[in-house]
Amino acid sequence: EKVRREEDNIFSGFRAGKKPQQETGDNDAVTDFCTETLARIYAEQGYFEQARRIYSKLILAFPEKSAYFATLIEKLDNLINNQTL
């Protein structure tokens, strides 16, 4: 008991009144909810920019799948460019 610290408790971050850290600089409503599924849904619905933004975040979160996400981003870039022509 004497060597136990408050930080060792995995639930110490869930205490009432303690707010989780939020990302800054991105006004997107789904900053904490970035999944491959959500990006795919955005792309299917034609929201290519939103899908691209999520895939960019997923590259950082899952570096082992970065080549896969980069390919999807490239496809989205092509769709975005063709859409604006």
Side-chain angles (χ1 to χ4, degrees):
E1 267 318 296
K2 291 182 180 181
V3 294
R4 197 178 284 189
R5 294 179 298 175
E6 186 175 333
E7 300 88 37
D8 294 337
N9 185 354
I10 61 171
F11 299 108
S12 63
F14 295 104
R15 227 177 293 136
K18 189 173 184 181
K19 299 202 180 226
Q21 294 179 351
Q22 295 182 357
E23 289 185 32
T24 58
D26 192 0
N27 294 329
D28 197 4
V30 292
T31 54
D32 294 332
F33 191 69
C34 295
T35 66
E36 187 175 347
T37 303
L38 182 59
R40 187 178 68 244
I41 290 170
Y42 275 149
E44 288 173 357
Q45 293 180 349
Y47 297 106
F48 303 130
E49 292 288 341
Q50 290 86 343
R52 188 185 190 292
R53 192 175 313 126
I54 290 175
Y55 284 133
S56 296
K57 290 180 183 182
L58 290 173
I59 283 178
L60 299 174
F62 302 101
E64 67 276 6
K65 293 178 75 175
S66 63
Y68 169 69
F69 292 134
T71 302
L72 294 174
I73 288 172
E74 186 177 336
K75 288 180 182 179
L76 287 170
D77 285 341
N78 289 335
L79 290 170
I80 292 168
N81 291 333
N82 289 335
Q83 189 180 35
T84 59
L85 294 177

